[in-house]
Amino acid sequence: MFKFTKLANARSFANRAEKLMMIVMGDDERFWVTTPAHAERLVKAGYEYAI
């Protein structure tokens, strides 16, 4: 998982990744970029996707 303070940076990183990456709002006021499987587990645990 990679953490960013700005959504624009997280989106840029996710868009340049070789594989699909998702962005989730973390509980540390950062945007978390992670794999779809891990993002799904985080959302089921109460986190939200960043849009």
Side-chain angles (χ1 to χ4, degrees):
M1 181 170 16
F2 304 91
K3 297 181 180 186
F4 297 88
T5 56
K6 295 182 180 179
L7 179 58
N9 293 344
R11 282 187 178 154
S12 177
F13 180 85
N15 288 337
R16 287 183 283 117
E18 288 184 22
K19 295 188 178 185
L20 180 63
M21 300 293 273
M22 307 295 288
I23 304 172
V24 176
M25 289 292 305
D27 57 5
D28 56 359
E29 299 182 15
R30 293 179 184 242
F31 299 96
W32 299 349
V33 180
T34 188
T35 63
H38 192 222
E40 185 177 331
R41 287 192 296 270
L42 288 168
V43 169
K44 286 182 181 179
Y47 292 88
E48 296 180 4
Y49 289 109
I51 297 175

